[in-house]
C-alpha cells in the first residue's frame, strides 16, 4: 500500500508540472499568434513590390527570433516532461516487485479443462456484475456451456437491480410476490420493505392520491404480526400528506438511504435464493490473492535459497500464515489444545467419543496400544472411533 501512495505522489507532481507548463505555453503561443497576425495584417496593407520599411524589417526579424526561442523552450520543456514520465515507470518498478513468478502456480492452468474452469469463473463473475454483453462474449469465445437455468435468474436479478437504481419498485415487487413462500421461509422482510417504498411513493404524490394510498395500505394487513410498529408509522404519514412528508417527523422515509438499503437487501435475498454468495467468488479470491502476495514474495528469497521452489505448488497449503481482512475470513480456525497449533488438511481436528476435540497428530501421540485416553476427561476409547470435524 505504501508503494501505491509513493507512486500516487509522483503522479500528482507530474500532473502539476503538466498543468503549469500547459498554462505557460498556451499564454506564450497566444501572444506569438497575435503578433504574427498583426504583422500579416500590416504587410498585407503595403504594396508587395515595394521594399519593406526598416521598422517593419526589424519587427519581422524580432518576431522570427521570438518564435525560434519559444520553439526551443517548448522542445526542452517537452524533453523534461518526457523524463518525468519515464521516472514514474522507474518508481513503479522500484516500489513493486515485477517478478511474481515465485508465487505463481502455472500447473493449475496446465490443461484445457482447467483453462475452461477459469474462463467460466470470469464469465460467471460478469453475469453477477450485470455486464451481460461481456459475459456472453466470453462464453462464446471460450466455447463455454452456460446453463440457461443458471443464467436466467442472474439476468432477471440484474434487471431488477437496475430498476431499483432508477427508483422503480414494481419489478422487484413482482419478483418478491412470486417468491413469497421462500422469502417468508427465510424470514426475509424484503416484500414488506418494497410495499413500504411503493406506499411512500404514492404518498409523495400529495393529497390528490390519498385514496389510492389508502387503498394500497390494505397490502400491509398480512404484515401486521411482524411489523405493527412500522405500519403504525406509515399510517401516521397520512396526517402530513397536505403539508408534505419532507416537513414531517417521517422525513427519514424519503431519504436515498432507504433505496440503498433495499438494493442491498434484494441482492442478498436473490443470491441466497439461487444458492450463491452475494460477493463474486472470483473477486473474493482476487482480493485475498492481492493481500497474500506481499507475504509470499517476501519469502521468495528463502524459497530460492533452500531450493524448494515446489513448496507452493506441491502443497494444498501455503508454507506461511497469511493474515487476511475479517471480510475475507469464511471459516473458523481450530487450534489443537494439546499441540497448540492450527489444524490443517493433513492434520485435521478429530472429535473423540466423549465430545472433546483434538488434532489428528495429538491423537496419534496419545495412543497407547489400541486405546487412547482423552486428555481432558479420562474416558478410554479406541482411536478409530474419533470423527473428523469440518468447520
Ligand atoms: Zn474427553
Amino acid at each position: 500500500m505504501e508503494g501505491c501512495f509513493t507512486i500516487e505522489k509522483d503522479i500528482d507532481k507530474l500532473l502539476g508540472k503538466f498543468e503549469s507548463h500547459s498554462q505557460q505555453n498556451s499564454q506564450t503561443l497566444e501572444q506569438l499568434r497575435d503578433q504574427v497576425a498583426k504583422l500579416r495584417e500590416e504587410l498585407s496593407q503595403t504594396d508587395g513590390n515595394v521594399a519593406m520599411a526598416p521598422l517593419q524589417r526589424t519587427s519581422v526579424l524580432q518576431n522570427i527570433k521570438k518564435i525560434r526561442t519559444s520553439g526551443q523552450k517548448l522542445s526542452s520543456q517537452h524533453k523534461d516532461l518526457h523524463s518525468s514520465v519515464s521516472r514514474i515507470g522507474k518508481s513503479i518498478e522500484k516500489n513493486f516487485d515485477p517478478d511474481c513468478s515465485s508465487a505463481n502456480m502455472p500447473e493449475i492452468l496446465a490443461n484445457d479443462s482447467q483453462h475452461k474452469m477459469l474462463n467460466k469463473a470470469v464469465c460467471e463473475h460478469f453475469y453477477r456484475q450485470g455486464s451481460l454483453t461481456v459475459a456472453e462474449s466470453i462464453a462464446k469465445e471460450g466455447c463455454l456451456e452456460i446453463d440457461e437455468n443458471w443464467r436466467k435468474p442472474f439476468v432477471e436479478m440484474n434487471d431488477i437491480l437496475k430498476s431499483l437504481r432508477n427508483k422503480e419498485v414494481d419489478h422487484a415487487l413482482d419478483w418478491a410476490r412470486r417468491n413469497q413462500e421462500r422469502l417468508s421461509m427465510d424470514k426475509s422482510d424484503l416484500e414488506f420493505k418494497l410495499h413500504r417504498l411503493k406506499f411512500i411513493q404514492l404518498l409523495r404524490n400529495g393529497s390528490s392520491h390519498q385514496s389510492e394510498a389508502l387503498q394500497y395500505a390494505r397490502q400491509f394487513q398480512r404484515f401486521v404480526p411482524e411489523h405493527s410498529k412500522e405500519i403504525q408509522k406509515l399510517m401516521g404519514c397520512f396526517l402530513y400528506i397536505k403539508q408534505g412528508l419532507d416537513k414531517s417527523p417521517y422525513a427519514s422515509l424519503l431519504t436515498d438511504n432507504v433505496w440503498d438499503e433495499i438494493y442491498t437487501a434484494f441482492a442478498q435475498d436473490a443470491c441466497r435464493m439461487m444458492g450463491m454468495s452475494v460477493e463474486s467468488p472470483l473477486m473474493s479470491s482476487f482480493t485475498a490473492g492481492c493481500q497474500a502476495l506481499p507475504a509470499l514474495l517476501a519469502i521468495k528469497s528463502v524459497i530460492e535459497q533452500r531450493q524448494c521452489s515446489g513448496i507452493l505448488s506441491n502443497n494444498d497449503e501455503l508454507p506461511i500464515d497469511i493474515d487476511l481482512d475479517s471480510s475475507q475470513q469464511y471459516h473458523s480456525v481450530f487450534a489443537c489444545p494439546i499441540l497448540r497449533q492450527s489444524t490443517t488438511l493433513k492434520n485435521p481436528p478429530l472429535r473423540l467419543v466423549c465430545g472433546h476435540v483434538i488434532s489428528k497428530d495429538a491423537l496419534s501421540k496419545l495412543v497407547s496400544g489400541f486405546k487412547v485416553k482423552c486428555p481432558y476427561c479420562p474416558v478410554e476409547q479406541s482411536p478409530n472411533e474419533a470423527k473428523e470435524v469440518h468447520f
Side-chain angles (χ1 to χ4, degrees):
M1 207 57 205
E2 264 174 46
C4 287
F5 287 133
T6 319
I7 291 162
E8 202 178 0
K9 248 190 214 165
D10 289 347
I11 290 176
D12 283 344
K13 252 191 234 165
L14 178 70
L15 290 177
K17 227 176 188 178
F18 263 109
E19 189 65 27
S20 76
H21 279 348
S22 142
Q23 270 174 8
Q24 272 176 21
N25 292 337
S26 57
Q27 255 180 12
T28 324
L29 289 172
E30 194 91 359
Q31 279 170 5
L32 284 174
R33 215 172 43 217
D34 285 350
Q35 280 165 4
V36 172
K38 215 169 128 193
L39 206 67
R40 272 180 75 175
E41 208 184 310
E42 271 178 31
L43 289 172
S44 69
Q45 280 164 8
T46 54
D47 189 349
N49 296 325
V50 180
M52 269 193 271
L55 203 65
Q56 277 177 333
R57 262 179 83 97
T58 342
S59 167
V60 170
L61 286 171
Q62 266 176 357
N63 271 306
I64 291 173
K65 208 175 159 190
K66 253 190 205 166
I67 291 170
R68 202 168 280 156
T69 347
S70 305
Q72 278 163 355
K73 204 176 139 197
L74 281 176
S75 134
S76 74
Q77 275 178 355
H78 184 257
K79 261 186 210 156
D80 179 41
L81 281 178
H82 218 277
S83 63
S84 305
V85 171
S86 61
R87 230 172 284 144
I88 299 284
K90 276 176 203 144
S91 169
I92 293 174
E93 271 171 29
K94 203 174 116 193
N95 285 287
F96 292 100
D97 193 336
D99 180 20
C100 300
S101 53
S102 56
N104 197 7
M105 293 168 74
E107 62 282 357
I108 61 162
L109 289 175
N111 59 42
D112 271 358
S113 81
Q114 284 156 335
H115 263 284
K116 243 184 187 165
M117 274 160 76
L118 177 68
N119 284 339
K120 201 169 175 190
V122 176
C123 179
E124 287 182 1
H125 169 81
F126 282 112
Y127 269 120
R128 275 167 176 275
Q129 306 298 107
S131 311
L132 304 184
T133 337
V134 182
E136 262 145 38
S137 302
I138 295 176
K140 204 174 149 196
E141 284 173 29
C143 303
L144 303 174
E145 284 163 22
I146 301 290
D147 185 2
E148 188 58 22
N149 292 333
W150 183 91
R151 197 188 77 97
K152 231 171 149 187
F154 267 111
V155 176
E156 191 187 17
M157 181 181 93
N158 280 300
D159 279 347
I160 297 174
L161 286 174
K162 221 183 266 172
S163 66
L164 285 176
R165 219 175 281 141
N166 295 329
K167 300 192 174 168
E168 291 157 13
V169 72
D170 289 338
H171 200 166
L173 250 176
D174 177 48
W175 181 91
R177 275 197 203 104
R178 275 188 279 127
N179 294 290
Q180 207 171 65
E181 210 176 307
R182 180 73 200 275
L183 285 172
S184 68
M185 249 166 64
D186 289 347
K187 298 205 180 332
S188 156
D189 52 6
L190 180 73
E191 198 185 348
F192 170 72
K193 283 181 177 164
L194 288 166
H195 280 302
R196 185 172 65 181
L197 267 178
K198 178 84 184 165
F199 177 73
I200 300 285
Q201 276 187 327
L202 291 172
L203 284 181
R204 283 183 103 162
N205 292 335
S207 44
S208 57
H209 288 71
Q210 190 167 345
S211 59
E212 207 183 324
L214 205 57
Q215 183 88 4
Y216 197 84
R218 288 187 187 156
Q219 302 280 352
F220 293 125
Q221 254 174 11
R222 73 191 169 86
F223 298 104
V224 170
E226 283 107 30
H227 300 281
S228 62
K229 275 207 169 153
E230 281 132 304
I231 294 169
Q232 276 170 12
K233 262 192 200 174
L234 292 174
M235 295 307 114
C237 292
F238 278 113
L239 296 171
Y240 296 91
I241 200 163
K242 268 192 186 156
Q243 67 177 72
L245 281 185
D246 48 340
K247 294 176 206 94
S248 76
Y250 305 116
S252 63
L253 290 170
L254 306 178
T255 56
D256 280 348
N257 291 349
V258 184
W259 286 97
D260 292 342
E261 194 192 314
I262 206 84
Y263 187 88
T264 321
F266 173 77
Q268 275 173 352
D269 282 355
C271 284
R272 191 174 52 233
M273 218 162 271
M274 290 188 272
M276 300 278 179
S277 59
V278 181
E279 295 295 326
S280 143
L282 184 68
M283 189 47 103
S284 304
S285 318
F286 178 75
T287 315
C290 288
Q291 284 175 25
L293 201 56
L296 293 176
L297 291 175
I299 59 157
K300 184 170 80 173
S301 54
V302 182
I303 293 176
E304 279 164 3
Q305 273 167 22
R306 298 195 186 166
Q307 295 180 337
C308 45
S309 53
I311 196 161
L312 285 176
S313 46
N314 295 342
N315 285 319
D316 279 338
E317 282 155 26
L318 293 172
I320 43 163
D321 278 344
I322 306 278
D323 284 326
L324 295 177
D325 278 355
S326 54
S327 63
Q328 293 287 324
Q329 288 167 12
Y330 299 96
H331 301 285
S332 308
V333 177
F334 178 77
C336 171
I338 308 292
L339 299 179
R340 297 190 183 280
Q341 61 189 28
S342 294
T343 48
T344 59
L345 285 174
K346 280 184 187 156
N347 177 27
L350 298 177
R351 182 191 179 276
L352 305 177
V353 174
C354 53
H356 289 112
V357 182
I358 57 174
S359 69
K360 190 180 172 187
D361 286 354
L363 183 76
S364 6
K365 279 186 185 157
L366 291 168
V367 172
S368 79
F370 294 104
K371 291 272 169 208
V372 64
K373 218 176 194 182
C374 171
Y376 290 96
C377 59
V379 170
E380 215 176 43
Q381 52 206 287
S382 155
N384 297 334
E385 286 174 299
K387 287 204 169 79
E388 195 174 325
V389 180
H390 297 274
F391 289 101

